[in-house]
Structures are given as C-alpha cells and as structure tokens.
Amino acid sequence: MEEYINVYKELMKALEERLNHYREGVKRLDEAWVGYRNAVNELKREWDSDYPLIESRVNQLKAGIEGLRRQVEEAEVKREIGLMDDESYGKLVNELNTAIEELSKMYDQAKSLLGELENGLMNHWIRSIDVSAISQEAVEKLTKNLEEAKANGQISEETYARLKRDLDLLAKALQAYSLLLKGQ
C-alpha cells in the first residue's frame, strides 16, 4: 500500500510543479498588467495635458493657410482695381499658392498624425480601464458634471468634446462588461 501512495505522491509532486509554473506565469502577467495600466494612464494624463497646445499648433497651420488664401483674394482685388499689374499678380499668386500647397501638406500630415495618435492612445486607454471598479452611476455623475461645466463656461468646446468622447467610451466599455457578466 505504501508503494501505491508513493506513486500518487510522485504524481502530486509533478502536478504541483506544473501548477507552480502557471502560478508564476499568472503572477508575471498580473505584474505586467499593472505596469501596462500605469504606463497607459500616465501617457493619457500627459496627452490630455498637452493636447490643447498640440491642437493649437495644428490650428496655427490651418490659420496660416487661411491667411495665405486671404492674401490671394487681396491680390485679386488689387489687380482688378489697378493697384497691381498682371505680371506682379501672377508672380505673387504663384508664390502664395506654392506656400498654401506646402502648408496644406504639413497640416494634413499633422492632422493625420494627431488622429492616429489619438486613436492609438484611446484604444490602449479603453483596454486598460478596470470597468469592474466603475459604476454606471459614477459615469452618469461625471457626465452631468461635464455638462454643467460646459453650460457654465468653465471649459472650452474642444475640452468638452474630448472629455465627452472619453466618457462615452467609458460608458460603452461598462455596458460591454455588464453584458459579459450577464452571459456568465
């Protein structure tokens, strides 16, 4: 009978070794997850802080393009009323159109990169949210506070739009989590 028990002790020893391997793996995953969430939240805080300045710089490119277009219109008026000859007009408009084209490329590139980064960061942020720690009531309260801040002029339209989008994403993540729990 002792041999019989020893066989099962060996089996248990092998089983414990295998289970310990997975226990350590889960521990490493938990540590990696905490690190990931912390990194995402830190980057999101930085992004939220820097976004108005970044967006302002992108909008400066747009304003520059609009300013150049106004100069083209002014040149047309000057030519029509005789303050500018056709040769000077043609040269100036060519230069302005070249500058408009160059700034438009820069603007499109900056706007595209801004959107790409925003989407990438939001995808990580949504993945990192611990929806089990957030209630629907908390999201509703945050949304109400946001609406009040906008109505009272405490935040800009751009800030409102970004925060509203974040809260909408959070609400959707919470709804998806709720559906998963109901399906279990």
Side-chain angles (χ1 to χ4, degrees):
M1 189 53 118
E2 191 173 315
E3 283 182 33
Y4 184 77
I5 291 175
N6 285 338
V7 168
Y8 283 100
K9 282 182 179 180
E10 286 299 315
L11 176 68
M12 187 62 183
K13 182 178 174 184
L15 181 60
E16 284 177 343
E17 285 176 13
R18 211 58 216 139
L19 293 175
N20 282 336
H21 165 76
Y22 288 106
R23 181 180 298 135
E24 289 300 315
V26 168
K27 182 179 174 185
R28 285 191 307 275
L29 290 174
D30 287 343
E31 290 168 356
W33 179 248
V34 168
Y36 172 77
R37 287 183 55 211
N38 289 341
V40 168
N41 288 327
E42 178 59 31
L43 190 59
K44 175 94 168 66
R45 272 191 294 279
E46 280 184 62
W47 180 257
D48 288 343
S49 175
D50 286 344
Y51 188 86
L53 177 62
I54 293 168
E55 187 177 45
S56 169
R57 299 288 190 228
V58 172
N59 288 336
Q60 284 176 339
L61 287 168
K62 186 177 181 181
I65 294 166
E66 291 167 4
L68 292 172
R69 286 187 178 135
R70 281 191 300 276
Q71 288 183 38
V72 169
E73 291 171 3
E74 289 172 10
E76 288 174 4
V77 170
K78 286 180 181 179
R79 184 186 71 168
E80 287 176 10
I81 63 173
L83 294 176
M84 185 179 283
D85 62 67
D86 287 343
E87 184 180 330
S88 297
Y89 168 79
K91 183 179 177 185
L92 178 60
V93 168
N94 282 338
E95 289 174 2
L96 290 171
N97 283 334
T98 299
I100 289 170
E101 187 178 310
E102 187 70 26
L103 284 181
S104 292
K105 287 178 186 175
M106 286 186 244
Y107 174 75
D108 291 344
Q109 180 183 6
K111 198 72 171 162
S112 174
L113 183 56
L114 185 65
E116 179 185 318
L117 291 171
E118 180 85 6
N119 288 336
L121 182 56
M122 292 310 294
N123 286 336
H124 283 283
W125 182 67
I126 287 297
R127 281 186 229 141
S128 73
I129 294 173
D130 182 2
V131 290
S132 65
I134 301 170
S135 70
Q136 184 68 34
E137 293 79 26
V139 173
E140 290 170 2
K141 182 178 179 183
L142 288 170
T143 302
K144 181 181 174 194
N145 290 344
L146 178 64
E147 296 296 336
E148 288 175 2
K150 180 188 175 208
N152 294 332
Q154 296 171 316
I155 58 173
S156 70
E157 189 64 39
E158 294 82 16
T159 300
Y160 168 79
R162 292 187 77 247
L163 293 174
K164 178 75 170 136
R165 187 204 61 230
D166 287 358
L167 286 172
D168 289 345
L169 287 171
L170 186 57
K172 287 177 184 174
L174 190 57
Q175 288 171 346
Y177 179 70
S178 176
L179 289 174
L180 284 173
L181 289 179
K182 286 179 184 177
Q184 290 182 348

